[in-house]
Amino acid sequence: MSKLEVFLNDKLMPVASRLQQNKVLAALMEGFIRTSPITLGIAFITIIGNFPIPAWIEFLTKIGIYPHVEAITNGATGVFSLYVVYSLAYSYAKQLGANKRNSALISLASFIMLMPQTISTTVIQDGQEVTQAIGALKLDFLGGQGLFIGMLTALLVTRLYAFLSKKKIMLKLPESVPPMVTQSLAPVFVVTLIFTLVFALRVAFGFTASGSIFQFFIDVVSAPLNSLAASPLSIILIMEILAILWFFGIHNAVLQGPLGMITMTMIVTNIGAFQKGEDLPLLIPSVIYMGMYAAGFMGFVTFFMIRSKSAKMKQLGKLSFIPSLFNITEPIMFGMPIILNPIFFIPQVFTQLIAGFVTWGLTTTILPINLNPTMSLLPWTTPVFVKMPLSGGLNYTILMVISMLIGIVMWYPFIKIADKKEYELEMAAEQLSRHETKEQSLQESMQA
């Protein structure tokens, strides 16, 4: 393991350092980190409100509490793209030397302007059900499904704003005007030009079959996968695509159509056969899915972080540990961040791929699984180390441990590399702070 760490430090770190000096990547990392208070702050309520006991959720629903839990969750993760757009535009503007608040607000406005602003609903008129369009923003596009478009909007609008701002086309105001008013009104021509381009882009995508840039992106990404049936290869393919897209900041919600279709097909088909006492027709794909899911368990990643030397990683690990046990990974994905962090590309992209093929091989040879598919209906917050033993007994537990070991072996050296880098940065910052304090004390003593 030590030889691997040395090799990765020598070969990977120089490349990662050069990439992280890129202004776009630097802005992405800072922008995501700044959103971590939201994902961490919502974790406790999300866990309690979705505690993996069906009777508990039914109780909260019965007493009228569960809708409020959903409201709090939607207020954070349901509109998460809004926070990312503002934070990312702010960070990128700082990299470019542009006005940070103006860039963030203009990017946020552009993002909403591009979004469909009507939804279809059914209303009762004269005793008849009538489909009617009402003015509203769709939470799907404000949340995970709009995250990638939001990132692009923040980067492109901020870059355009910074470029146009340097072209001396700002509105000139007298010096007597307060600075805050000047900063708000000076870029009116620039903003008008940006919004005109946004308008043209919205109109262009409005003429497509998708109707908007948001739906167009979803259709393009998910369309090739919609025809896949539940099979070992299709499960491995979709889970691997999810891992790759997640690394680039494209939320799993974008592929919820094809993934949901396949997983629900597996669950319903297997439950039907199980109730009749028949062999499960989609046993192998179901087992592979959970094996890859276990390999992606982030609890051991946060455990390694808790034992880090870096104060940043240690604290983030402590805050993310409990949420990670209940499958809430956003705090670590955005807080580290893992998204678009070149250090973590290999474990994020290849861990589950390896686990998928290993699971497939073991299940069809030396480790047969007897699965109770009804356990698939447990809430999504059920820890994987609870769900898999309940679903398949000893062999399934052994498979879970093997998948988790694959994840541990894949993630550990890269966590060590990131920890070393963060620790060195913290030591350098602390040394600089001590030097500045020493110089300040010396100057004060000389003045005295």
Side-chain angles (χ1 to χ4, degrees):
M1 186 67 74
S2 60
K3 291 183 179 180
L4 177 61
E5 290 179 30
V6 171
F7 174 78
L8 292 174
N9 271 307
D10 292 342
K11 303 299 182 182
L12 180 65
M13 283 303 294
V15 177
S17 296
R18 286 196 295 270
L19 288 173
Q20 289 175 340
Q21 290 173 0
N22 179 275
K23 291 182 178 181
V24 173
L25 283 178
L28 284 164
M29 293 184 67
E30 181 182 344
F32 284 132
I33 290 173
R34 288 185 181 277
T35 63
S36 57
I38 296 172
T39 54
L40 286 168
I42 195 63
F44 176 75
I45 296 176
T46 302
I47 291 171
I48 297 300
N50 295 276
F51 201 72
I53 299 177
W56 171 251
I57 298 177
E58 291 176 8
F59 171 72
L60 292 181
T61 303
K62 184 178 180 180
I63 64 175
I65 296 297
Y66 192 71
H68 299 292
V69 173
E70 289 184 312
I72 296 297
T73 304
N74 284 334
T77 57
V79 294
F80 190 70
S81 292
L82 295 179
Y83 308 131
V84 169
V85 170
Y86 187 91
S87 178
L88 177 54
Y90 189 97
S91 300
Y92 192 37
K94 186 170 69 173
Q95 295 283 335
L96 298 175
N99 187 295
K100 298 183 287 293
R101 291 182 177 82
N102 282 351
S103 299
L105 287 172
I106 295 165
S107 297
L108 188 58
S110 300
F111 176 66
I112 295 175
M113 289 174 183
L114 288 171
M115 192 174 300
Q117 296 175 14
T118 59
I119 61 173
S120 296
T121 186
T122 301
V123 297
I124 304 298
Q125 290 184 356
D126 300 326
Q128 300 291 327
E129 291 186 354
V130 179
T131 301
Q132 180 177 324
I134 62 172
L137 297 176
K138 195 175 181 181
L139 274 179
D140 291 349
F141 296 148
L142 293 170
Q145 291 188 12
L147 185 58
F148 187 70
I149 300 300
M151 290 165 53
L152 288 179
T153 301
L155 293 173
L156 293 175
V157 169
T158 300
R159 187 71 185 89
L160 183 58
Y161 176 78
F163 172 77
L164 294 175
S165 296
K166 296 176 182 178
K167 295 300 180 180
K168 307 299 181 182
I169 57 175
M170 293 290 193
L171 181 66
K172 301 295 183 181
L173 296 175
E175 295 182 1
S176 58
V177 177
M180 183 175 66
V181 177
T182 300
Q183 292 176 8
S184 299
L185 297 180
V188 64
F189 295 141
V190 171
V191 177
T192 300
L193 180 57
I194 291 173
F195 285 169
T196 301
L197 293 175
V198 170
F199 171 77
L201 187 64
R202 178 185 172 89
V203 171
F205 278 95
F207 285 116
T208 66
S210 300
S212 72
I213 188 173
F214 291 83
Q215 192 61 48
F216 180 84
F217 174 72
I218 293 171
D219 292 343
V220 168
V221 172
S222 64
L225 302 175
N226 282 330
S227 60
L228 290 177
S231 69
L233 281 177
S234 68
I235 291 298
I236 292 174
L237 175 63
I238 289 185
M239 293 293 284
E240 179 58 16
I241 291 175
L242 285 176
I244 295 172
L245 294 181
W246 204 195
F247 176 81
F248 288 100
I250 303 175
H251 199 278
N252 297 348
V254 171
L255 290 181
Q256 68 181 7
L259 180 61
M261 177 186 66
I262 290 178
T263 54
M264 285 308 298
T265 298
M266 291 192 304
I267 292 171
V268 172
T269 303
N270 284 337
I271 289 177
F274 181 76
Q275 290 173 337
K276 296 177 182 178
E278 301 172 353
D279 293 337
L280 304 187
L282 297 175
L283 172 67
I284 302 302
S286 300
V287 172
I288 291 174
Y289 174 78
M290 286 305 298
M292 297 180 74
Y293 195 74
F297 176 65
M298 302 303 286
F300 48 74
V301 175
T302 56
F303 177 76
F304 294 150
M305 292 170 63
I306 293 172
R307 298 172 62 85
S308 297
K309 292 182 180 180
S310 162
K312 170 198 166 183
M313 291 186 64
K314 183 176 295 186
Q315 190 61 33
L316 181 60
K318 291 177 180 178
L319 293 171
S320 303
F321 180 67
I322 298 299
S324 69
L325 297 182
F326 293 89
N327 305 319
I328 300 173
T329 61
E330 280 81 1
I332 187 173
M333 292 299 295
F334 293 109
M336 180 88 82
I338 291 173
I339 290 175
L340 286 170
N341 190 334
I343 294 175
F344 298 119
F345 177 81
I346 291 176
Q348 171 63 23
V349 169
F350 293 105
T351 298
Q352 289 178 299
L353 180 65
I354 295 171
F357 283 105
V358 169
T359 299
W360 191 0
L362 290 174
T363 306
T364 54
T365 54
I366 63 174
L367 201 63
I369 303 295
N370 292 316
L371 188 65
N372 180 354
T374 60
M375 291 298 166
S376 300
L377 301 177
L378 288 172
W380 65 273
T381 48
T382 305
V384 66
F385 53 83
V386 172
K387 194 171 189 176
M388 289 187 71
L390 290 177
S391 301
L394 179 60
N395 281 8
Y396 213 26
T397 303
I398 294 173
L399 187 65
M400 176 193 73
V401 172
I402 293 172
S403 295
M404 286 185 170
L405 286 174
I406 292 172
I408 290 171
V409 171
M410 289 294 292
W411 278 97
Y412 180 75
F414 296 94
I415 294 293
K416 292 284 289 183
I417 291 173
D419 177 40
K420 180 181 178 182
K421 179 186 175 184
E422 290 293 339
Y423 184 70
E424 289 174 351
L425 291 174
E426 290 172 3
M427 291 300 98
E430 184 177 338
Q431 186 175 3
L432 179 61
S433 177
R434 288 176 181 173
H435 180 70
E436 291 176 347
T437 302
K438 185 177 180 180
E439 283 190 346
Q440 185 178 1
S441 300
L442 182 61
Q443 290 177 359
E444 291 176 352
S445 62
M446 291 177 63
Q447 290 175 357

